[in-house]
Amino acid sequence: MLLDTSGLLCLHYQAEPLHTQACAAYKKAFKRLTHSYVIAEYVALANARRFSRSSVLTFVVDLLDSPDIETIWVDESLHRAAVDLLMVRQDKTYSLCDAVSFVLMHQYGIAEALTTDRHFEQEGFVRLLQLAK
């Protein structure tokens, strides 16, 4: 599965409504992948929500050090591929971080994302975190 920003937030914070669902999905995953733009976005989101900076940074270091998670560092080639995707999908409101995720998911053959973001479904992937309707 791809670990997206909102999924990491649900995983990290027990007070998040989808924390239990995120933990269960995380444990079931055979492969766990994320990228440097997700990590940057996660730090910004957690700071904006006024979460403890120490807790956020410790979580990020643990994530980067985890042998169970592969972190892809975005280089120029991947960045440009994501921008190309955004150019083709101008009718969508995808972020650059989303586009990098989609490119990587296609490259690695990953269908599921630990995310609450509906954009993943719009792009044909499985969004693992949703509130019951």
Side-chain angles (χ1 to χ4, degrees):
M1 81 171 57
L2 181 114
L3 304 175
D4 184 46
T5 310
S6 61
L8 291 177
L9 199 73
C10 291
L11 201 59
H12 186 189
Y13 293 100
Q14 291 181 355
E16 288 297 311
L18 296 171
H19 174 74
T20 302
Q21 192 178 342
C23 290
Y26 181 86
K27 287 176 187 169
K28 281 193 237 174
F30 173 72
K31 179 173 188 64
R32 297 175 192 100
L33 180 89
T34 194
H35 55 85
S36 53
Y37 285 13
V38 164
I39 295 166
E41 190 176 72
Y42 175 79
V43 171
L45 176 62
N47 284 336
R49 292 185 62 181
R50 301 199 188 293
F51 293 136
S52 158
R53 188 155 178 82
S54 175
S55 174
V56 169
L57 296 177
T58 297
F59 180 78
V60 166
V61 169
D62 289 347
L63 185 146
L64 291 172
D65 289 344
S66 174
D68 298 326
I69 301 170
E70 181 178 357
T71 301
I72 304 298
W73 297 94
V74 178
D75 60 8
E76 181 181 357
S77 173
L78 180 53
H79 182 97
R80 286 182 176 271
V83 171
D84 290 345
L85 177 66
L86 291 176
M87 292 298 292
V88 173
R89 304 281 197 275
Q90 291 188 39
D91 61 320
K92 305 290 186 218
T93 58
Y94 299 165
S95 70
L96 181 58
C97 185
D98 290 344
V100 168
S101 295
F102 302 155
V103 169
L104 285 173
M105 290 176 79
H106 283 297
Q107 287 177 352
Y108 282 78
I110 296 172
E112 298 180 328
L114 190 70
T115 189
T116 62
D117 187 342
R118 65 182 174 76
H119 292 140
F120 285 80
E121 289 175 328
Q122 289 177 343
E123 195 60 24
F125 299 109
V126 177
R127 171 176 54 150
L128 294 174
L129 302 176
Q130 300 183 59
L131 291 171
K133 294 179 182 180

